Amino acid sequence: MSEIKRIFKNTAFLFLSHVVNMLLSFILIVAIARYLGDEGLGKYSFAFAFAGLLSLFSDLGELDFVLREVSKNKKLTGKYMNNLAGLNLFLGIISVIVPSLIILIAREPMHVVYIVMLASIATFFINYNKVYIVVFRSYEVMEYESISAVIERIIALILGLVVLMKGYGIVALLLVLTTSNIAKFFFSHFITKQKISNIRLSFDRDFWNFLIKNGLPFWFTGLFMSIYFRIDTVMLGFMTNYAVVGWYNAAYKVIDMLGRIPFIATAALFPVMSRFFLSSKDTLKKIFQKSYYYLFVLAVPIGIGGMLLADRIIIFVFKSQFKESVIALQILIWAVVFMFVNYLIGFLLNSINKQKLFTLTTGIGALFNVILNFALIPYYSFKGAAFATVLTEALIFILLYYFAAKNGYNLNLFAVSIKPVIAGIFMAGFLIYFNYLHILLLVPLAAIFYFAVLLGIRGFSREEYDIISVILK
């Protein structure tokens, strides 16, 4: 199989599964919002943000390090994966204990304490399943990752809707999410054992130290990213009330769903970029340049369309109870535009052994985000948190691009951006003129119009058509 076909196959599997997962997850979030209200959604979001923020010790960067190394040399699978499984089990137990103790000390209401404890247990299984994701991505068999993820979401949605409609409440919902991730664990373990390798628990402390030492730059990156992705929700929970957290997270769930698109692409590209850094740096540069352009082409209509249609999206999905979320979505949507390219540049730095630069960038971004949230939330509430997110992503883009260019991976940003932006401006006019159409009709028509304009102004070269023909053969 050619490299292009392999990349396309893995990206296609991840993309399709993530589209399904996004839809299933979004349906569940909408159900939570409608059955539990803004305060219920706020508590749900706070619990998982809090548990997620304090579950950082479940992965000290060893997952990304092992993924990179096993992608290069499959003979390392046994020792690396067995010790990874043992280490992550040990660290995962800590990740359950820490947030549970802190929320008790914080003297929050007991029902919030129970919710956070259950969210911590569910998060443990979510994080431990990443061990098998490393195996699937190292061997570039993302179809197994995709199937396991879809199975988990189907179980979560069906059982989740049942407990919500029966009125069992948020505690029962969190038990459902724990159950669905346990099911995903057993499925992933079975597939790995049958198709790739039998992963056993290994407790080699010297090798654990080796994994942690080499993984720490990746861990700090994950730490800082978790801070600036989750700290806003946690701070809103402590500084405002759960209704405000609910309004903010109704918009943020849309952003989170859209932000998975670049993550899917970079997840499929990372093993490939790591290999080409050793075998062909010129090919790696070409992959980076093309990937950047394609991601930006997708980001532009999302940013423009999301801003212009924010009110209709929120009311259509969450109903009028969440009308306060409209302004949050209009602001946050621009963070997505930066996310599309930030993921790519960050993973590029990881693949060329410059992960410390990615770590430095995310560290600066996390500090910047915390300072902005402290400064803006007391005066502008959730709108201040939204502005802090966008400004943080913009700063991260500037730093990441600087480091990439400094290491020889520069781009002509004007040439890359101009045609998608022109097509986006025309699409904005289309949306304004045909604003009377139903949103389910308007969105796909606007997307078609955007790509038609892009084709008309030669936004795709002959090389893009050649790549498509190779994929279709």
Side-chain angles (χ1 to χ4, degrees):
M1 182 182 293
S2 70
E3 201 66 54
I4 291 175
K5 283 190 174 182
R6 184 180 293 107
I7 294 172
F8 177 79
K9 184 203 76 169
N10 288 319
T11 304
F13 270 114
L14 285 179
F15 180 77
L16 290 174
S17 70
H18 274 71
V19 167
V20 173
N21 288 349
M22 285 189 295
L23 291 174
L24 297 178
S25 298
F26 202 65
I27 292 171
L28 183 58
I29 288 296
V30 172
I32 293 170
R34 294 190 178 185
Y35 282 98
L36 301 181
D38 48 12
E39 188 169 330
L41 178 60
K43 290 177 181 178
Y44 172 89
S45 302
F46 172 80
F48 273 102
F50 188 78
L53 191 61
L54 296 172
S55 71
L56 296 167
F57 299 103
S58 65
D59 171 22
L60 296 178
E62 67 276 2
L63 288 168
D64 287 324
F65 172 69
V66 170
L67 171 57
R68 190 183 70 185
E69 297 306 306
V70 176
S71 296
K72 296 175 182 177
N73 184 0
K74 303 298 185 293
K75 294 179 181 179
L76 302 176
T77 300
K79 185 174 184 179
Y80 275 62
M81 292 309 308
N82 292 343
N83 277 281
L84 181 65
L87 176 58
N88 276 54
L89 176 63
F90 173 74
L91 295 174
I93 293 172
I94 297 175
S95 75
V96 174
I97 295 172
V98 171
S100 300
L101 289 176
I102 292 177
I103 199 67
L104 278 170
I105 296 171
R107 296 184 178 181
E108 286 290 304
M110 282 309 299
H111 71 280
V112 175
V113 173
Y114 294 144
I115 292 169
V116 170
M117 286 181 173
L118 287 171
S120 299
I121 296 171
T123 301
F124 163 77
F125 286 102
I126 292 171
N127 289 333
Y128 195 76
N129 280 326
K130 293 177 183 177
V131 171
Y132 296 98
I133 291 176
V134 169
V135 179
F136 299 147
R137 292 184 182 178
S138 298
Y139 279 78
E140 296 180 48
V141 285
M142 278 73 160
E143 59 267 33
Y144 300 135
E145 175 187 347
S146 302
I147 294 169
S148 66
V150 171
I151 289 173
E152 186 277 325
R153 283 292 85 185
I154 290 174
I155 295 172
L157 178 62
I158 293 174
L159 296 182
L161 288 176
V162 169
V163 300
L164 288 170
M165 288 188 290
K166 292 286 186 180
Y168 295 143
I170 192 170
V171 172
L173 176 65
L174 289 170
L175 288 172
V176 163
L177 296 178
T178 302
T179 301
S180 66
N181 278 284
I182 292 174
K184 180 181 180 181
F185 163 77
F186 281 112
F187 177 82
S188 298
H189 181 78
F190 175 78
I191 290 294
T192 302
K193 183 178 180 180
Q194 294 296 316
K195 301 292 186 179
I196 302 174
S197 177
N198 186 17
I199 305 299
R200 299 182 176 90
L201 295 176
S202 184
F203 300 91
D204 184 339
R205 287 189 296 176
D206 290 336
F207 197 72
W208 282 12
N209 290 332
F210 167 75
L211 292 179
I212 293 172
K213 179 181 178 181
N214 285 278
L216 277 177
F218 296 101
W219 177 72
F220 278 110
T221 299
L223 168 69
F224 298 139
M225 290 181 71
S226 293
I227 289 174
Y228 72 75
F229 277 130
R230 295 191 175 104
I231 197 66
D232 46 6
T233 294
V234 174
M235 291 175 70
L236 283 170
F238 284 116
M239 298 171 71
T240 59
N241 58 66
Y242 290 116
V244 171
V245 177
W247 300 336
Y248 181 73
N249 274 273
Y252 205 95
K253 295 303 179 185
V254 178
I255 302 308
D256 183 57
M257 182 175 67
L258 295 171
R260 293 176 184 269
I261 297 173
F263 180 77
I264 296 165
T266 52
L269 284 169
F270 181 55
V272 177
M273 291 193 295
S274 297
R275 287 203 315 274
F276 276 124
F277 176 62
L278 295 177
S279 61
S280 177
K281 291 183 175 60
D282 288 338
T283 302
L284 175 57
K285 289 180 180 180
K286 190 172 183 179
I287 289 173
F288 169 63
Q289 291 166 355
K290 289 295 181 183
S291 299
Y292 184 100
Y293 180 71
Y294 299 149
L295 288 171
F296 189 73
V297 163
L298 293 176
V300 169
I302 289 174
I304 294 174
M307 183 186 69
L308 294 176
L309 299 176
D311 55 339
R312 300 180 66 180
I313 292 171
I314 291 296
I315 301 302
F316 176 75
V317 175
F318 295 103
K319 303 302 181 185
S320 58
Q321 184 180 8
F322 287 85
K323 62 181 183 297
E324 297 287 347
S325 304
V326 172
I327 184 64
L329 181 56
Q330 288 177 323
I331 300 168
L332 284 170
I333 197 68
W334 295 106
V336 175
V337 176
F338 290 109
M339 286 180 190
F340 265 67
V341 292
N342 286 350
Y343 275 121
L344 176 66
I345 305 174
F347 274 91
L348 170 72
L349 293 176
N350 283 349
S351 70
I352 65 174
N353 296 332
K354 295 294 182 181
Q355 57 268 25
K356 291 182 180 179
L357 295 178
F358 192 20
T359 301
L360 174 63
T361 301
T362 53
I364 294 171
L367 178 61
F368 183 68
N369 184 261
V370 171
I371 293 172
L372 282 179
N373 276 306
F374 268 116
L376 296 177
I377 288 176
Y379 298 100
Y380 303 104
S381 187
F382 64 95
K383 295 184 283 292
F387 275 116
T389 299
V390 175
L391 292 173
T392 300
E393 288 292 339
L395 174 64
I396 287 173
F397 168 75
I398 293 170
L399 294 174
L400 285 176
Y401 181 75
Y402 169 77
F403 289 131
K406 192 174 181 180
N407 283 277
Y409 296 88
N410 58 308
L411 298 164
N412 185 333
L413 292 178
F414 179 80
V416 169
S417 306
I418 185 62
K419 290 183 178 179
V421 170
I422 290 173
I425 293 171
F426 276 96
M427 188 196 74
F430 180 92
L431 287 171
I432 294 170
Y433 187 80
F434 292 100
N435 191 49
Y436 59 87
L437 294 175
H438 192 282
I439 190 169
L440 293 180
L441 179 61
L442 182 58
V443 169
L445 287 178
I448 293 170
F449 182 80
Y450 169 79
F451 283 103
V453 173
L454 196 60
L455 287 170
I457 60 176
R458 298 183 179 180
F460 295 108
S461 66
R462 178 65 190 176
E463 191 171 8
E464 274 73 48
Y465 298 116
D466 292 339
I467 290 173
I468 293 173
S469 66
V470 169
I471 291 171
L472 296 177
K473 284 182 180 177

